[in-house]
Amino acid sequence: MVRDTKGKIIASAANVAVTRGVQNMTMDAVAEEAGISKGAVFYHFDSKHDLLLSMVQALTDVTDSTIADVQSKDTEPGSWLRGFLKASLTNTTEDLGPVGRLSVAFLTAAANDTSLLEPMNRRQPAWREAINQSGLDPVQAQIIRLAADGLWINDVMGVPVLDAAERTAVIERLQAMTREKAKPDQKGNQA
Amino acid sequence: MVRDTKGKIIASAANVAVTRGVQNMTMDAVAEEAGISKGAVFYHFDSKHDLLLSMVQALTDVTDSTIADVQSKDTEPGSWLRGFLKASLTNTTEDLGPVGRLSVAFLTAAANDTSLLEPMNRRQPAWREAINQSGLDPVQAQIIRLAADGLWINDVMGVPVLDAAERTAVIERLQAMTREKAKPDQKGNQA
DNA sequence: TTTACTAAACTGACTGGTCAGTATAGTTTT
DNA sequence: AAAACTATACTGACCAGTCAGTTTAGTAAA
């Protein structure tokens, strides 16, 4: 691939989804945004379904590589979760970064057809494993991950769940929680 | 309203979204599902946009009334969050209940047009207030809510984040967390 | 007489997908 | 070195199908 047109199309599609709204993410709009013809888009992707699938794949790839990046410099317990937090929260509500743009595409995919989430679903067993092996109490670790998901989805949808101060406090607390070692028995319900 | 046709249409629309897929939630399909004519659907709703808006409104109404129901029998600190947890988690992954169906519609709305989330966005300040006044440490309270959101969205999308045992453990832990009073200083980062 | 519909035909705009043909760069043949 | 050929990348016009929304004419009940 001399000129990475495929990558450009994916980025353009994500961009259209954010700027013009997901309902306007037509193949024509994607082509226009990428500065190529519609035919060229179909040259690279068999169908819109195929494009959407690639976008979801791109999101999981970005997430995985962010985590790997963090873990290459942080081998303490909980590093996987710190990577996951970083990947989920790189986007502020306005002015979404590349990950945020892809996230919107992810939502699109989910809404249009759940089967498009295959690339994401395929990563779940590995992620669950990573979370359970993170060195933290597994239940607490899952909760951290779910809270990150919750914050992320609300961001992507533009639902104002938290104000700026609350947001900062929540993120700091989640980060602090990734540094709490497993406590053998806190409330009497440890298996 | 002698025969609650409006309600029936909303329920039917949610049903179509779940059973036939969101992309097939056409006005014709909704009418057919409700067992009425397309004209009747347009008699009650000015447009599809209007119907979607009503579906999101219905979801927030169901959530609010579930919370109110729980709080009428539970006045301990954290009762709001226990109500919210109940509202979010009434649905198992398969076999969605009414709330789960509406949730899918919510996703649809979000994906098609963020402005459709207005009814949901309007409730956020009140929910934030309720969380902050819940009697728990506010940051922890927000995290519980976000984790519930995270579990909910993954359920709705059908992403297998947790296996059955993990799921049970996480829900129990979240419920336990709603009973933990605010600890003045646990880790040294309380304002 | 107003409210709440049914039934069915129709329109107008949009959108995913197709396809014949063109451009470019590199490779083999003569 | 020129000619012939190949693979890849892309253009741009076109189309068949879909769907929200409209219209019309009529029915049933309170």
Side-chain angles (χ1 to χ4, degrees), chain B residues 8 60 92 117 127 142 147 152 161 172 177:
Chain B
K8 190 166 72 178
T60 69
T92 41
L117 299 180
W127 289 3
Q142 300 284 7
W152 166 82
V161 257
E172 271 172 20
M177 285 169 76

Short mmCIF file of all heavy atoms in Angstrom, two decimals, chain B residues 8 60 92 117 127 142 147 152 161 172 177:
data_model
loop_
_atom_site.label_atom_id
_atom_site.label_comp_id
_atom_site.label_asym_id
_atom_site.label_seq_id
_atom_site.Cartn_x
_atom_site.Cartn_y
_atom_site.Cartn_z
N LYS B 8 -48.97 1.80 22.88
CA LYS B 8 -48.82 0.55 22.15
C LYS B 8 -47.85 0.73 20.98
O LYS B 8 -47.05 -0.16 20.68
CB LYS B 8 -50.19 0.09 21.63
CG LYS B 8 -50.18 -1.32 21.05
CD LYS B 8 -51.59 -1.88 20.86
CE LYS B 8 -52.30 -1.21 19.70
NZ LYS B 8 -53.65 -1.77 19.45
N THR B 60 -36.71 7.32 30.05
CA THR B 60 -36.39 8.09 31.26
C THR B 60 -37.55 7.99 32.26
O THR B 60 -37.33 7.91 33.45
CB THR B 60 -36.08 9.57 30.96
OG1 THR B 60 -37.27 10.23 30.55
CG2 THR B 60 -35.05 9.70 29.86
N THR B 92 -31.54 -9.09 31.41
CA THR B 92 -30.41 -9.97 31.16
C THR B 92 -30.02 -9.81 29.70
O THR B 92 -30.74 -9.19 28.94
CB THR B 92 -30.78 -11.44 31.44
OG1 THR B 92 -32.09 -11.65 30.94
CG2 THR B 92 -30.72 -11.74 32.91
N LEU B 117 -31.68 12.83 22.03
CA LEU B 117 -31.44 12.48 23.43
C LEU B 117 -31.86 13.58 24.40
O LEU B 117 -31.69 13.44 25.61
CB LEU B 117 -29.96 12.13 23.63
CG LEU B 117 -29.48 10.94 22.80
CD1 LEU B 117 -28.02 10.68 23.06
CD2 LEU B 117 -30.31 9.71 23.13
N TRP B 127 -30.44 13.96 38.17
CA TRP B 127 -29.80 12.70 38.56
C TRP B 127 -28.46 12.96 39.25
O TRP B 127 -28.12 12.30 40.23
CB TRP B 127 -29.62 11.78 37.33
CG TRP B 127 -30.92 11.22 36.82
CD1 TRP B 127 -32.18 11.50 37.31
CD2 TRP B 127 -31.12 10.28 35.76
NE1 TRP B 127 -33.12 10.79 36.60
CE2 TRP B 127 -32.51 10.04 35.65
CE3 TRP B 127 -30.26 9.62 34.89
CZ2 TRP B 127 -33.05 9.16 34.71
CZ3 TRP B 127 -30.79 8.75 33.95
CH2 TRP B 127 -32.18 8.52 33.86
N GLN B 142 -20.83 8.41 41.95
CA GLN B 142 -20.82 8.59 40.48
C GLN B 142 -20.22 7.37 39.80
O GLN B 142 -20.68 6.96 38.74
CB GLN B 142 -19.99 9.83 40.09
CG GLN B 142 -20.48 11.16 40.67
CD GLN B 142 -21.71 11.72 39.96
OE1 GLN B 142 -22.30 11.06 39.10
NE2 GLN B 142 -22.10 12.92 40.36
N ALA B 147 -20.56 2.69 36.34
CA ALA B 147 -20.36 1.26 36.13
C ALA B 147 -21.67 0.60 35.69
O ALA B 147 -21.68 -0.27 34.82
CB ALA B 147 -19.83 0.61 37.40
N TRP B 152 -24.79 -1.73 31.40
CA TRP B 152 -26.02 -1.59 30.61
C TRP B 152 -25.72 -1.47 29.11
O TRP B 152 -26.29 -2.18 28.30
CB TRP B 152 -26.78 -0.37 31.13
CG TRP B 152 -27.87 0.11 30.25
CD1 TRP B 152 -29.14 -0.39 30.18
CD2 TRP B 152 -27.80 1.18 29.32
NE1 TRP B 152 -29.85 0.31 29.25
CE2 TRP B 152 -29.08 1.28 28.70
CE3 TRP B 152 -26.81 2.08 28.94
CZ2 TRP B 152 -29.36 2.23 27.73
CZ3 TRP B 152 -27.09 3.03 27.97
CH2 TRP B 152 -28.35 3.10 27.39
N VAL B 161 -18.97 -8.61 27.95
CA VAL B 161 -17.91 -8.13 28.85
C VAL B 161 -17.65 -9.03 30.04
O VAL B 161 -16.55 -9.09 30.55
CB VAL B 161 -18.20 -6.74 29.45
CG1 VAL B 161 -17.40 -5.68 28.76
CG2 VAL B 161 -19.66 -6.44 29.50
N GLU B 172 -23.41 -7.64 42.81
CA GLU B 172 -23.44 -7.69 44.28
C GLU B 172 -22.51 -6.65 44.89
O GLU B 172 -22.84 -5.98 45.85
CB GLU B 172 -23.04 -9.09 44.77
CG GLU B 172 -24.24 -10.01 44.89
CD GLU B 172 -23.83 -11.45 45.18
OE1 GLU B 172 -22.69 -11.66 45.67
OE2 GLU B 172 -24.64 -12.37 44.92
N MET B 177 -21.55 -1.51 47.55
CA MET B 177 -20.94 -0.17 47.55
C MET B 177 -21.96 0.93 47.85
O MET B 177 -21.62 1.99 48.35
CB MET B 177 -20.26 0.09 46.21
CG MET B 177 -18.93 -0.65 46.04
SD MET B 177 -18.29 -0.59 44.33
CE MET B 177 -17.67 1.10 44.25
#
